[in-house]
Amino acid sequence: MRSVMEAPFPASGRTITLRSFLPGSGNEVLMLCRPVDSRLEHVDFESLLQCLSVGRLLQVFASLLLERRVIFIADKLSVLSRCGHAALALLYPFTWQHTIVPVLPASMLDISCSPTPFLMGVLAPCLPKLLELPIEELGDEDCILLSKLQAGLLEILEEREQILRQDEGDCTGGMKFLPKK
């Protein structure tokens, strides 16, 4: 794993070669090729990393992997759209096969009571009405990822968050996350 982490990130369509030693197997040469697929080239992960804490980001990731209902709350339409798009891109190479509503109109908030998985964005002024709706909650988002996976992701994302804090200010969109099952 160390050799993978230390290897330079290859350009699209390029291959990197890693040499490793596996006990019982001896030396092994691994060739890893970055796909030509450009689906992630124009994703604004910065917005998502700025708007959600590391813990919330892991909850979003886990909730999407387990095909749960996810509702983003923000003050601005642009923040909802960018963060929803980036959250779905976290699933790469998998794709979200369920309902996506980047910005749910206030007149359609009842849809959030649907029992099917979805990713929806709701403007902050609609939050009081949304909280009145009978939406099921599980509350297990902190423990649905394997502990080793969660610890590793948490460490990497916290390092990234520190770098972002040094480079830029906080998100002005006021993003919140409501995971739902």
Side-chain angles (χ1 to χ4, degrees):
M1 288 303 290
R2 183 176 297 136
S3 61
V4 171
M5 299 283 284
E6 293 172 353
F9 195 71
S12 183
R14 300 287 184 177
T15 301
I16 59 170
T17 303
L18 304 169
R19 300 183 196 297
S20 67
F21 175 77
L22 298 174
S25 299
N27 290 327
E28 186 174 336
V29 175
L30 299 169
M31 295 184 70
L32 303 174
C33 180
R34 181 173 170 201
V36 181
D37 188 348
S38 63
R39 283 185 276 179
L40 299 180
E41 299 296 323
H42 303 288
V43 176
D44 183 8
F45 288 110
E46 295 297 321
S47 293
L48 190 62
L49 292 168
Q50 288 176 345
C51 293
L52 294 178
S53 69
V54 171
R56 287 283 186 214
L57 184 58
L58 287 177
Q59 288 178 339
V60 168
F61 178 64
S63 295
L64 291 173
L65 280 178
L66 294 174
E67 299 180 326
R68 293 189 171 180
R69 293 180 283 163
V70 176
I71 301 173
F72 283 134
I73 310 291
D75 296 323
K76 297 181 179 180
L77 292 171
S78 60
V79 172
L80 285 176
S81 297
R82 286 192 317 260
C83 290
H85 180 63
L88 293 176
L90 292 174
L91 297 174
Y92 183 83
F94 304 110
T95 57
W96 183 253
Q97 298 294 318
H98 303 287
T99 304
I100 303 166
V101 183
V103 181
L104 186 65
S107 62
M108 300 177 73
L109 284 178
D110 291 344
I111 292 175
S112 63
C113 297
S114 168
T116 60
F118 58 70
L119 173 77
M120 293 183 188
V122 174
L123 289 171
C126 299
L127 183 58
K129 185 176 177 187
L130 182 69
L131 292 174
E132 292 175 5
L133 296 173
I135 302 173
E136 294 177 25
E137 293 187 46
L138 270 183
D140 65 346
E141 291 80 21
D142 290 330
C143 60
I144 52 181
L145 285 179
L146 297 173
S147 59
K148 285 185 179 182
L149 173 63
Q150 185 165 348
L153 289 172
L154 191 63
E155 181 181 334
I156 290 168
L157 290 171
E158 283 175 345
E159 288 174 10
R160 175 72 176 131
E161 186 177 46
Q162 288 174 357
I163 292 168
L164 276 177
R165 264 194 243 127
Q166 291 171 358
D167 293 343
E168 301 174 14
D170 290 332
C171 177
T172 59
M175 185 77 146
K176 295 179 183 164
F177 157 70
L178 295 174
K180 304 293 176 196
K181 169 109 177 146

